[in-house]
Every structure is written in structure tokens, then in C-alpha cells.
Coordinates of all heavy atoms in Angstrom, one line a residue:
M1431 N 2.3 -10.1 10.4 CA 1.8 -9.0 9.6 C 0.4 -9.4 9.1 O 0.3 -10.4 8.4 CB 2.8 -8.6 8.5 CG 2.3 -7.5 7.6 SD 3.6 -7.2 6.3 CE 4.9 -6.6 7.2
A1432 N -0.6 -8.6 9.3 CA -1.9 -8.9 8.8 C -2.2 -8.1 7.6 O -2.1 -6.8 7.6 CB -3.0 -8.7 9.9
F1433 N -2.6 -8.7 6.5 CA -2.9 -8.0 5.3 C -4.4 -7.7 5.2 O -5.2 -8.4 5.8 CB -2.5 -8.8 4.0 CG -1.1 -9.3 4.0 CD1 -0.7 -10.6 4.0 CD2 0.0 -8.3 4.1 CE1 0.6 -11.0 4.0 CE2 1.3 -8.7 4.1 CZ 1.6 -10.1 4.1
K1434 N -4.7 -6.6 4.5 CA -6.1 -6.2 4.3 C -6.8 -7.4 3.6 O -7.9 -7.7 3.9 CB -6.1 -4.9 3.4 CG -7.5 -4.4 3.1 CD -8.2 -3.8 4.3 CE -9.5 -3.2 4.0 NZ -10.3 -3.0 5.2
D1435 N -6.2 -7.9 2.6 CA -6.7 -9.1 1.9 C -5.6 -10.2 1.8 O -4.7 -10.0 1.1 CB -7.2 -8.7 0.5 CG -7.9 -9.9 -0.3 OD1 -7.6 -11.0 0.1 OD2 -8.6 -9.6 -1.2
E1436 N -5.8 -11.2 2.6 CA -4.8 -12.2 2.7 C -4.5 -12.9 1.4 O -3.4 -13.4 1.2 CB -5.2 -13.3 3.8 CG -5.3 -12.7 5.2 CD -3.9 -12.3 5.8 OE1 -2.9 -12.8 5.3 OE2 -3.9 -11.4 6.7
S1437 N -5.5 -12.9 0.5 CA -5.2 -13.6 -0.8 C -4.5 -12.7 -1.8 O -4.0 -13.2 -2.8 CB -6.6 -14.1 -1.4 OG -7.4 -12.9 -1.7
K1438 N -4.5 -11.4 -1.5 CA -3.8 -10.4 -2.3 C -3.0 -9.4 -1.5 O -3.5 -8.3 -1.3 CB -4.8 -9.7 -3.2 CG -5.6 -10.6 -4.2 CD -6.5 -9.8 -5.0 CE -7.7 -9.3 -4.2 NZ -8.7 -8.5 -5.0
P1439 N -1.9 -9.8 -0.9 CA -1.2 -8.9 0.0 C -0.9 -7.5 -0.5 O -0.9 -6.6 0.2 CB 0.1 -9.7 0.4 CG -0.3 -11.1 0.1 CD -1.3 -11.1 -1.0
S1440 N -0.6 -7.4 -1.8 CA -0.3 -6.1 -2.4 C -1.4 -5.5 -3.1 O -1.3 -4.6 -3.9 CB 0.9 -6.3 -3.3 OG 2.1 -6.6 -2.5
G1441 N -2.6 -6.1 -3.0 CA -3.8 -5.5 -3.6 C -4.0 -6.0 -5.0 O -3.3 -6.9 -5.4
P1442 N -5.0 -5.4 -5.7 CA -5.7 -4.3 -5.3 C -6.8 -4.6 -4.2 O -7.4 -5.7 -4.2 CB -6.4 -3.8 -6.6 CG -6.5 -5.1 -7.4 CD -5.3 -5.9 -7.1
V1443 N -7.0 -3.7 -3.3 CA -8.0 -3.8 -2.3 C -8.7 -2.4 -2.2 O -8.1 -1.4 -2.4 CB -7.4 -4.1 -0.9 CG1 -6.8 -5.5 -0.9 CG2 -6.4 -3.1 -0.4
T1444 N -10.0 -2.5 -1.9 CA -10.8 -1.3 -1.8 C -10.9 -1.0 -0.3 O -11.4 -1.9 0.5 CB -12.1 -1.4 -2.4 OG1 -11.9 -1.7 -3.8 CG2 -13.0 -0.1 -2.3
L1445 N -10.6 0.2 0.1 CA -10.7 0.6 1.5 C -12.0 1.2 1.9 O -12.9 1.5 1.0 CB -9.6 1.6 1.8 CG -8.2 1.2 1.4 CD1 -7.2 2.3 1.8 CD2 -7.8 -0.1 2.0
A1446 N -12.2 1.4 3.2 CA -13.5 1.9 3.7 C -13.8 3.3 3.1 O -15.0 3.7 2.9 CB -13.5 1.9 5.2
N1447 N -12.7 4.1 2.8 CA -12.9 5.4 2.3 C -13.2 5.4 0.8 O -13.3 6.5 0.2 CB -11.7 6.3 2.6 CG -10.4 5.7 2.0 OD1 -10.4 5.0 1.0 ND2 -9.3 6.1 2.5
G1448 N -13.3 4.2 0.2 CA -13.6 4.1 -1.2 C -12.5 4.1 -2.2 O -12.6 3.8 -3.3
A1449 N -11.3 4.3 -1.6 CA -10.1 4.3 -2.5 C -9.7 2.8 -2.8 O -9.8 2.0 -1.9 CB -8.9 5.0 -1.8
T1450 N -9.3 2.6 -4.0 CA -8.7 1.3 -4.3 C -7.2 1.4 -4.4 O -6.7 2.3 -5.2 CB -9.3 0.7 -5.6 OG1 -10.7 0.6 -5.5 CG2 -8.7 -0.6 -6.0
V1451 N -6.5 0.6 -3.7 CA -5.0 0.7 -3.6 C -4.4 -0.6 -4.0 O -4.9 -1.7 -3.7 CB -4.6 1.0 -2.1 CG1 -3.1 1.3 -2.0 CG2 -5.4 2.2 -1.6
A1452 N -3.3 -0.4 -4.7 CA -2.5 -1.6 -5.1 C -1.0 -1.2 -5.2 O -0.7 -0.1 -5.5 CB -3.0 -2.1 -6.5
V1453 N -0.2 -2.2 -5.1 CA 1.3 -2.1 -5.3 C 1.7 -3.0 -6.4 O 1.3 -4.2 -6.3 CB 2.1 -2.4 -4.0 CG1 3.6 -2.4 -4.3 CG2 1.7 -1.4 -2.9
D1454 N 2.4 -2.5 -7.4 CA 3.0 -3.4 -8.4 C 4.3 -4.0 -7.9 O 5.3 -3.3 -7.7 CB 3.3 -2.5 -9.7 CG 3.7 -3.4 -10.8 OD1 4.4 -4.4 -10.6 OD2 3.4 -3.1 -12.0
R1455 N 4.2 -5.3 -7.5 CA 5.3 -5.9 -6.8 C 6.5 -6.0 -7.7 O 7.7 -6.1 -7.3 CB 4.9 -7.3 -6.3 CG 3.8 -7.3 -5.3 CD 3.4 -8.7 -4.9 NE 4.5 -9.4 -4.3 CZ 4.8 -9.4 -3.0 NH1 4.2 -8.6 -2.1 NH2 5.8 -10.2 -2.5
D1456 N 6.3 -6.0 -9.1 CA 7.5 -6.1 -10.0 C 8.2 -4.8 -10.0 O 9.5 -4.8 -10.2 CB 7.0 -6.4 -11.4 CG 6.4 -7.8 -11.5 OD1 6.9 -8.7 -10.7 OD2 5.6 -8.1 -12.4
L1457 N 7.5 -3.7 -9.7 CA 8.2 -2.3 -9.7 C 8.8 -2.0 -8.4 O 9.8 -1.3 -8.3 CB 7.2 -1.3 -10.1 CG 6.7 -1.2 -11.6 CD1 5.7 -0.1 -11.8 CD2 7.9 -1.1 -12.5
C1458 N 8.1 -2.4 -7.3 CA 8.6 -2.1 -5.9 C 10.0 -2.5 -5.7 O 10.4 -3.7 -5.9 CB 7.6 -2.7 -4.9 SG 8.1 -2.4 -3.2
I1459 N 10.8 -1.6 -5.2 CA 12.2 -1.8 -4.8 C 12.4 -1.9 -3.3 O 13.6 -2.0 -2.9 CB 13.1 -0.8 -5.4 CG1 12.7 0.6 -5.0 CG2 13.1 -0.8 -7.0 CD1 13.7 1.7 -5.4
G1460 N 11.3 -1.9 -2.6 CA 11.4 -2.1 -1.1 C 12.1 -1.0 -0.4 O 12.7 -1.2 0.7
C1461 N 12.0 0.2 -0.9 CA 12.7 1.4 -0.3 C 12.1 1.8 1.1 O 12.8 2.4 1.9 CB 12.7 2.6 -1.2 SG 11.1 3.4 -1.4
G1462 N 10.9 1.4 1.3 CA 10.2 1.7 2.6 C 9.6 3.1 2.7 O 9.1 3.4 3.7
A1463 N 9.7 3.9 1.6 CA 9.2 5.3 1.7 C 7.7 5.3 2.1 O 7.2 6.1 2.9 CB 9.4 6.0 0.4
C1464 N 6.9 4.4 1.4 CA 5.5 4.4 1.7 C 5.2 4.0 3.1 O 4.2 4.4 3.7 CB 4.8 3.5 0.7 SG 5.4 1.7 0.7
T1465 N 6.0 3.1 3.6 CA 5.7 2.6 5.0 C 6.0 3.8 6.0 O 5.5 3.8 7.1 CB 6.6 1.4 5.4 OG1 7.9 1.8 5.4 CG2 6.4 0.3 4.3
A1466 N 6.9 4.7 5.6 CA 7.2 5.8 6.5 C 6.1 6.9 6.5 O 5.7 7.5 7.5 CB 8.5 6.5 6.1
V1467 N 5.5 7.1 5.3 CA 4.5 8.1 5.1 C 3.1 7.6 5.6 O 2.4 8.4 6.2 CB 4.4 8.5 3.6 CG1 3.2 9.4 3.3 CG2 5.7 9.1 3.1
A1468 N 2.8 6.4 5.3 CA 1.5 5.8 5.6 C 1.7 4.4 6.3 O 1.4 3.4 5.7 CB 0.6 5.7 4.4
P1469 N 2.2 4.4 7.5 CA 2.6 3.2 8.2 C 1.4 2.3 8.5 O 1.6 1.1 8.7 CB 3.3 3.7 9.5 CG 2.8 5.0 9.7 CD 2.5 5.6 8.4
K1470 N 0.2 2.8 8.6 CA -0.9 1.9 8.9 C -1.4 1.3 7.6 O -2.2 0.3 7.7 CB -2.1 2.8 9.5 CG -1.7 3.3 10.9 CD -2.8 4.2 11.4 CE -2.5 4.7 12.8 NZ -3.4 5.8 13.2
T1471 N -1.0 1.8 6.5 CA -1.5 1.2 5.2 C -0.4 0.3 4.6 O -0.8 -0.8 4.0 CB -1.8 2.4 4.2 OG1 -2.8 3.2 4.7 CG2 -2.2 1.8 2.8
F1472 N 0.8 0.7 4.6 CA 1.9 -0.1 3.9 C 2.9 -0.7 4.8 O 3.3 -0.1 5.8 CB 2.6 0.8 2.9 CG 1.7 1.4 1.9 CD1 1.3 2.7 2.0 CD2 1.3 0.7 0.8 CE1 0.5 3.3 1.0 CE2 0.5 1.2 -0.2 CZ 0.1 2.6 -0.1
G1473 N 3.3 -2.0 4.5 CA 4.3 -2.7 5.3 C 5.0 -3.6 4.3 O 4.5 -4.1 3.3
L1474 N 6.4 -3.7 4.6 CA 7.2 -4.6 3.7 C 7.0 -6.0 4.2 O 7.1 -6.3 5.4 CB 8.6 -4.2 3.8 CG 8.9 -2.8 3.3 CD1 10.5 -2.5 3.3 CD2 8.4 -2.5 1.9
D1475 N 6.9 -6.9 3.2 CA 6.7 -8.4 3.6 C 8.1 -9.0 3.6 O 9.2 -8.3 3.5 CB 5.8 -9.1 2.6 CG 6.3 -9.2 1.2 OD1 7.5 -8.9 0.9 OD2 5.5 -9.5 0.3
S1476 N 8.1 -10.3 3.8 CA 9.4 -11.0 3.9 C 10.2 -11.0 2.6 O 11.4 -11.3 2.6 CB 9.1 -12.5 4.3 OG 8.3 -13.1 3.3
E1477 N 9.6 -10.6 1.5 CA 10.3 -10.5 0.2 C 10.8 -9.1 0.0 O 11.3 -8.8 -1.1 CB 9.4 -11.0 -0.9 CG 9.0 -12.4 -0.8 CD 8.1 -12.9 -2.0 OE1 7.8 -12.0 -2.8 OE2 7.6 -14.0 -1.9
G1478 N 10.5 -8.2 0.9 CA 10.9 -6.8 0.8 C 10.0 -6.0 -0.2 O 10.4 -5.0 -0.7
K1479 N 8.8 -6.5 -0.4 CA 7.8 -5.8 -1.2 C 6.7 -5.2 -0.4 O 6.3 -5.8 0.7 CB 7.2 -6.8 -2.2 CG 8.2 -7.6 -3.1 CD 8.8 -6.6 -4.1 CE 9.8 -7.4 -5.0 NZ 10.4 -6.5 -6.0
S1480 N 6.2 -4.1 -0.8 CA 5.2 -3.4 -0.1 C 3.9 -4.1 -0.2 O 3.5 -4.5 -1.2 CB 5.1 -1.9 -0.6 OG 4.1 -1.2 0.2
T1481 N 3.2 -4.1 1.0 CA 1.9 -4.8 1.0 C 0.9 -3.8 1.7 O 1.3 -2.8 2.3 CB 1.9 -6.1 1.9 OG1 2.3 -5.7 3.2 CG2 2.9 -7.1 1.3
I1482 N -0.4 -4.1 1.6 CA -1.4 -3.3 2.2 C -2.0 -4.0 3.4 O -2.4 -5.1 3.4 CB -2.5 -3.0 1.1 CG1 -1.9 -2.3 -0.1 CG2 -3.7 -2.2 1.7 CD1 -2.5 -2.6 -1.4
L1483 N -1.8 -3.3 4.5 CA -2.1 -3.9 5.8 C -3.6 -3.8 6.2 O -4.4 -3.0 5.7 CB -1.3 -3.1 6.9 CG 0.2 -3.1 6.6 CD1 0.9 -2.2 7.7 CD2 0.8 -4.5 6.6
A1484 N -3.9 -4.7 7.2 CA -5.3 -4.7 7.6 C -5.7 -3.4 8.3 O -6.9 -3.1 8.3 CB -5.4 -5.9 8.7
S1485 N -4.8 -2.6 8.8 CA -5.1 -1.4 9.4 C -5.2 -0.2 8.4 O -5.3 1.0 8.8 CB -4.0 -1.0 10.5 OG -2.7 -1.1 9.9
A1486 N -5.2 -0.5 7.1 CA -5.2 0.6 6.1 C -6.4 1.5 6.2 O -6.2 2.7 5.9 CB -5.2 -0.1 4.7
D1487 N -7.5 1.1 6.7 CA -8.6 2.0 6.9 C -8.4 3.1 7.9 O -9.2 4.1 7.9 CB -9.9 1.2 7.3 CG -10.4 0.3 6.1 OD1 -10.2 0.7 5.0 OD2 -10.9 -0.8 6.4
E1488 N -7.3 3.0 8.7 CA -7.1 4.0 9.7 C -6.3 5.2 9.1 O -6.2 6.2 9.8 CB -6.3 3.3 10.9 CG -7.1 2.3 11.6 CD -6.3 1.5 12.6 OE1 -5.4 2.1 13.2 OE2 -6.6 0.3 12.9
D1489 N -5.7 5.1 8.0 CA -5.0 6.2 7.3 C -6.0 7.0 6.5 O -6.9 6.5 5.8 CB -3.9 5.7 6.4 CG -2.5 5.5 7.2 OD1 -2.3 6.3 8.2 OD2 -1.7 4.7 6.7
A1490 N -5.8 8.3 6.5 CA -6.6 9.2 5.7 C -6.2 9.0 4.2 O -5.1 8.6 3.9 CB -6.4 10.6 6.1
K1491 N -7.2 9.2 3.4 CA -7.0 9.0 1.9 C -5.8 9.9 1.5 O -5.0 9.5 0.6 CB -8.3 9.4 1.1 CG -8.2 9.0 -0.3 CD -9.5 9.4 -1.1 CE -10.7 8.6 -0.7 NZ -11.9 8.8 -1.6
E1492 N -5.8 11.1 2.0 CA -4.7 12.0 1.6 C -3.3 11.5 2.0 O -2.3 11.7 1.3 CB -4.9 13.4 2.3 CG -6.1 14.2 1.9 CD -7.4 13.6 2.4 OE1 -7.4 12.8 3.4 OE2 -8.5 14.0 1.9
T1493 N -3.3 10.8 3.1 CA -2.0 10.2 3.5 C -1.6 9.1 2.5 O -0.4 9.0 2.1 CB -2.1 9.6 4.9 OG1 -2.5 10.6 5.8 CG2 -0.8 8.9 5.4
I1494 N -2.5 8.3 2.1 CA -2.2 7.3 1.1 C -1.8 7.8 -0.2 O -0.9 7.4 -0.9 CB -3.4 6.3 1.0 CG1 -3.7 5.6 2.3 CG2 -3.2 5.3 -0.1 CD1 -5.0 4.8 2.4
V1495 N -2.5 8.9 -0.6 CA -2.1 9.6 -1.9 C -0.7 10.2 -1.8 O 0.1 10.1 -2.7 CB -3.1 10.7 -2.3 CG1 -2.7 11.5 -3.4 CG2 -4.5 10.0 -2.6
S1496 N -0.3 10.7 -0.6 CA 1.0 11.2 -0.4 C 2.0 10.1 -0.6 O 3.1 10.3 -1.2 CB 1.2 11.8 1.0 OG 0.4 13.0 1.1
A1497 N 1.7 8.9 0.0 CA 2.6 7.8 -0.2 C 2.8 7.4 -1.6 O 3.9 7.1 -2.1 CB 2.1 6.6 0.7
K1498 N 1.6 7.4 -2.3 CA 1.6 7.1 -3.8 C 2.5 8.0 -4.5 O 3.4 7.6 -5.3 CB 0.2 7.1 -4.3 CG 0.1 7.2 -5.8 CD -1.3 7.5 -6.3 CE -1.4 7.8 -7.8 NZ -2.7 8.2 -8.2
N1499 N 2.4 9.3 -4.3 CA 3.2 10.3 -5.0 C 4.6 10.3 -4.6 O 5.5 10.7 -5.4 CB 2.6 11.7 -4.7 CG 1.2 11.9 -5.3 OD1 0.8 11.2 -6.2 ND2 0.4 12.8 -4.7
G1500 N 4.9 9.7 -3.4 CA 6.3 9.7 -3.0 C 7.1 8.4 -3.4 O 8.3 8.3 -3.2
C1501 N 6.4 7.5 -4.0 CA 7.1 6.3 -4.4 C 8.0 6.6 -5.6 O 7.6 7.1 -6.6 CB 6.0 5.2 -4.8 SG 6.8 3.7 -5.5
P1502 N 9.3 6.3 -5.4 CA 10.3 6.7 -6.4 C 10.1 5.9 -7.7 O 10.7 6.4 -8.8 CB 11.6 6.3 -5.7 CG 11.3 5.3 -4.8 CD 9.9 5.6 -4.3
V1503 N 9.4 4.8 -7.7 CA 9.3 4.0 -9.0 C 7.9 3.9 -9.5 O 7.6 3.2 -10.4 CB 9.9 2.6 -8.8 CG1 11.4 2.7 -8.6 CG2 9.2 1.9 -7.7
G1504 N 7.0 4.7 -8.8 CA 5.6 4.7 -9.3 C 4.9 3.4 -9.2 O 4.0 3.0 -10.0
A1505 N 5.2 2.6 -8.1 CA 4.6 1.3 -8.0 C 3.2 1.3 -7.3 O 2.6 0.3 -7.4 CB 5.6 0.4 -7.1
I1506 N 2.8 2.4 -6.7 CA 1.6 2.4 -6.0 C 0.5 3.1 -6.9 O 0.7 4.1 -7.5 CB 1.7 3.2 -4.7 CG1 2.8 2.6 -3.8 CG2 0.4 3.3 -4.0 CD1 3.1 3.4 -2.6
S1507 N -0.6 2.4 -7.0 CA -1.8 3.0 -7.6 C -2.8 3.2 -6.5 O -3.0 2.4 -5.6 CB -2.3 2.2 -8.7 OG -2.7 0.9 -8.3
A1508 N -3.5 4.4 -6.5 CA -4.6 4.6 -5.6 C -5.6 5.5 -6.2 O -5.2 6.7 -6.6 CB -4.0 5.3 -4.3
S1509 N -6.8 5.1 -6.3 CA -7.9 5.9 -6.8 C -8.2 6.9 -5.8 O -8.2 6.7 -4.6 CB -9.1 5.1 -7.2 OG -9.6 4.4 -6.1
E1510 N -8.6 8.1 -6.2 CA -8.9 9.2 -5.3 C -10.4 9.5 -5.2 O -11.1 9.1 -6.1 CB -8.2 10.5 -5.6 CG -6.7 10.3 -5.5 CD -5.9 11.5 -5.9 OE1 -6.3 12.6 -5.5 OE2 -4.9 11.3 -6.6
Ligands
LIG1660 S1 7.7 3.6 -1.9 FE1 7.3 2.4 -3.7 S2 9.3 1.3 -4.0 FE2 9.3 2.0 -2.0 S3 8.5 0.3 -0.7 FE3 6.7 1.6 -1.2 S4 5.9 0.7 -3.1 FE4 7.9 -0.1 -2.9

């Protein structure tokens, strides 16, 4: 699994579209909802926490915002 920023797998990272995305690993329960909605942006790591993938620039900003809004514990932050 390749992360957008290898030093910060769960962000915050700024994408090509200008959005800054981060996952609060303490809140993430590893449900996988974000990986289903935005599979190019989010992936679960070996600890079952959501991370931001190197392919994140391939998802539309709207897709990432949908994933953010769908997170059941509010662990995703994404500037619009
Ligand atoms: S939707 Fe939220 S809780 Fe579920 S894996 Fe993604 S960041 Fe974690």
C-alpha cells in the first residue's frame, strides 16, 4: 500500500485539487465505509486504520467529501 505521504499515512495531506485531508486515527474504527466510497483515496492499513493513498489525486473532491460525510464517527476532515 502506497501512502500519499509516507511519513504521515493518515495525513494531513494536501491533494492536487487543493483539499487537505486527514483521518483522526484515534477516532477511526476501521469500518471501511470511506474505502468503499472513495477507494482511490482511502485504504485501511495493517492496524485497521484509514490512510490516505498515493492515488488520492484521482478521486474527485466531491467523492472525498462524500466519504467524509459518511464516516460514522466523524474521523475524516477534508477542506472543500
Ligand atoms: S469511514 Fe471513518 S471510521 Fe470508517 S474506516 Fe473510514 S475513517 Fe475509519
Side-chain angles (χ1 to χ4, degrees):
M1431 178 180 296
F1433 304 120
K1434 179 73 174 165
D1435 184 336
E1436 294 293 337
S1437 68
K1438 296 180 290 182
S1440 294
V1443 296
T1444 300
L1445 307 182
N1447 61 24
T1450 298
V1451 183
V1453 174
D1454 185 327
R1455 295 178 64 86
D1456 291 333
L1457 292 178
C1458 177
I1459 57 173
C1461 71
C1464 58
T1465 68
V1467 174
K1470 293 175 181 170
T1471 300
F1472 299 102
L1474 299 183
D1475 68 10
S1476 60
E1477 299 177 2
K1479 301 293 185 178
S1480 183
T1481 62
I1482 298 149
L1483 304 175
S1485 54
D1487 289 329
E1488 298 173 27
D1489 268 334
K1491 189 182 290 188
E1492 293 75 15
T1493 301
I1494 297 171
V1495 171
S1496 292
K1498 167 191 169 184
N1499 292 339
C1501 176
V1503 294
I1506 300 173
S1507 60
S1509 63
E1510 297 179 41

